[in-house]
Amino acid sequence: MKKHISFLLLTGLSLSALAQNKDYPIQPVPFTSVKLSDHFWTSRIETNRTVTIPASFARCDSTGRIKNFVMAAEHKGKFCTVYPFDDTDIYKTIEGASYSLAEHPDPKLSAYLDSLITIVGNAQEPDGYLYTARTIDPLHPGPWAGPERWVNEQKMSHELYNAGHMYEAAAAHYMATGKRNFLNIALKNADLLVRTFGPDKMHVAPGHEIVEMGLVRLYRITGKKEYLDLAKFFIDQRGHKEYNKKSKNEYENGKYFQDDIPVVQQDEAEGHAVRAMYLYSGMADVAALTGDTAYLKAIDKIWNNMVGKKMYVQGSIGAVGDGERFGENYELPNTTAYNETCAAIGSVFWNQRMFLLHGDSKYIDVLEKTLYNGLISGVGLDGKSFFYTNAMQISNGFSHPDIERERSGWFVCSCCPTNVVRLIPSIPGYVYAEQGNSVYVNLFISGTGNLVVNDKKVSITQQNNYPWDGGLAFTVNPSSAMDMDLRIRIPGWARNVAMPSDLYGYKVPSAQNVLIKINGQPVNYRIENGYAVLSKKWVKNDKVEMTLPMNVRRVIANNKIEGDEGKVALQRGPIMYCAEWKDNNGLACNIILPKAAEFKTAYRADMLNGVMTLEAPAKSITIDAAGQNVSTQNVTLTAIPYYSWANRGKGEMTVWFPEQVKYVDIQSK
């Protein structure tokens, strides 16, 4: 039980061990209690462990990120990377490596982490301050840092951002290893923040949020209420700085920083998308722990705005490259889509928290869409090539500075690769959740979850070939006969809900129903908040079978989104598809998908680490230079999962397919 509680704390989402009065009403089952056995996710977790983590540490070394800490300890040299937040790439990689250690003990990796933590600790100043850009040379800390501590924090210094990622990493390392070496560094820094900031001390709204989430993480470990109070204080500081409210420039009016009005008055997803996701996640944490209903009302409205007006069809957010930010309502261009990978990761964090608050499957629907599509698209199948941004359309005839046509090993700003490092090994922790005598099955991944429900042990073993096959089986094994509500999510896409809003819908509703059997017998079930509720006295080897419809669906967009009219996107199960040059005669943006075209599916084990492909009769078009004469020829469209594109070289790609010539974007040809 002690281990179970410890790793609930590791997720940053439980206070069971601290016996607090308030917390999330629903609790996630920790990732260490869920052993996966599928191919889709275990291969990615193993690649992260054996390739991505070592590559990340190697690049932290070769780019000078580690050297910055060494120079800070020596108080000499010159900060040798570009951004003052480069410190966090080490923190995030340590966090991901710690998660990996929890599941796969590795003495060599553990020793390496200890050596890095020693270097980090040596760079910490006596009062707890830790920010290499300033400590190396306090008189020349760089333009973003400002001449003194914290004076530029509300803009771009990232001092508190660095601290937040350090807290997240230190908590993960402590829970994975039981060692306090990194945790003590983090607590020393957090105590400095408590002494520095507060109602009768220094006031600041952190320029890049995450310190709020990190402080909550430390509060969950220590029970020190000052950390929770400070997290709330930082959140409440937003909206009090004087900006030029008449300006449309989001840096000048405060929206970029989510700082234009107090958070409890905000009702729209705005500004830098990663900052926004971390803020809303922090608000959810604080609301759960304090019962702040004003926070809850605000994040409910903001979530509805994001999902209803500002999300791409494959789950990505942050449409505008200028500021890596949300655009206006329905501003979701395809040719210049930005879609930072970090924003997708932040969306997963926030949607998990929203589910824990409300118990509604719509949050997991969005989490799943993001996870299987717009998030893992950010890392190559080799585990060491990445996208910072995630395009919706790549055309040979159109270029834009925000478009990435091929993956990179790393970036000057490498926040996304190291964020992937820490997200991937935590996937098992998103599968199950508990509340009283209810167990929620949120994700469908083969493996076994070991739970404790009302003080009774129960294991649930999933067997499936998801996301390629809709046949799901669950074997329930309680330690003794027990009453339990098994709540299995029926995905929105299986209920004709493409998105829990009117932003996207299916062109033709599916008439297929979701069939559920218990021990071979079909059962009637009620649906609550998107979950099939199966209530009974469960005994050893009870088996539940559920069949989800996996037909190919044509997705259409709200007519307020420019550029998607007359076009469809393709979805099968949770997977969104795209066409890539490699499978379509060297092009992709010249394909028309006729309305009557029917699809064939085929699993290709030899392609892109194993994918289900879609094929349909289509037409390719050629338009002359004047845009006047159009010629067509019959072809076969081959579509692949969106996440898998750009693993075979550089070329065209598209997510949206016109059904008639008049809807083809001639300018991009």
Side-chain angles (χ1 to χ4, degrees), residues 39-41 43-44 314 369-381 387 390-391 407 467-468 574-578 580 603-604 607-612 640-647 653 655:
H39 170 73
F40 191 91
W41 285 112
S43 64
R44 283 168 169 77
Q314 34 64 292
K369 178 179 286 290
T370 303
L371 188 63
Y372 278 88
N373 300 287
L375 191 157
I376 56 173
S377 57
V379 56
L381 298 177
F387 275 139
N390 294 271
R407 300 177 186 274
W468 312 125
I575 301 296
M576 300 302 303
Y577 279 77
C578 69
E580 192 179 26
Y603 183 74
R604 293 282 303 276
M607 183 176 178
L608 298 167
N609 288 2
V611 292
M612 189 73 73
I640 61 172
Y642 172 80
Y643 74 75
S644 67
W645 82 278
N647 282 283
M653 182 277 295
V655 172

Side-chain angles (χ1 to χ4, degrees), residues 334-336 391-399 403-405 563 566-568 577-593 618-623 630-633 635-639 642 645 650-669:
N334 293 314
T335 57
T336 60
M392 298 296 290
Q393 179 176 310
I394 298 293
S395 169
N396 291 338
F398 179 82
S399 62
I403 290 176
E404 290 177 72
R405 296 178 178 272
K567 300 177 183 178
V568 295
Y577 279 77
C578 69
E580 192 179 26
W581 65 280
K582 183 74 172 179
D583 312 301
N584 295 282
N585 302 312
L587 297 172
C589 297
N590 66 333
I591 297 173
I592 295 175
L593 184 61
K619 295 182 181 295
S620 67
I621 68 170
T622 302
I623 303 173
V630 178
S631 59
T632 66
Q633 63 178 14
V635 296
T636 298
L637 161 67
T638 298
Y642 172 80
W645 82 278
K650 182 170 63 175
E652 288 199 344
M653 182 277 295
T654 190
V655 172
W656 289 95
F657 300 91
E659 293 184 311
Q660 300 177 43
V661 171
K662 68 178 181 178
Y663 294 115
V664 174
D665 180 8
I666 295 177
Q667 185 179 3
S668 68
K669 293 287 143 319

Side-chain angles (χ1 to χ4, degrees), residues 192 457 526:
L192 171 65
K457 293 182 179 179
R526 70 183 190 276

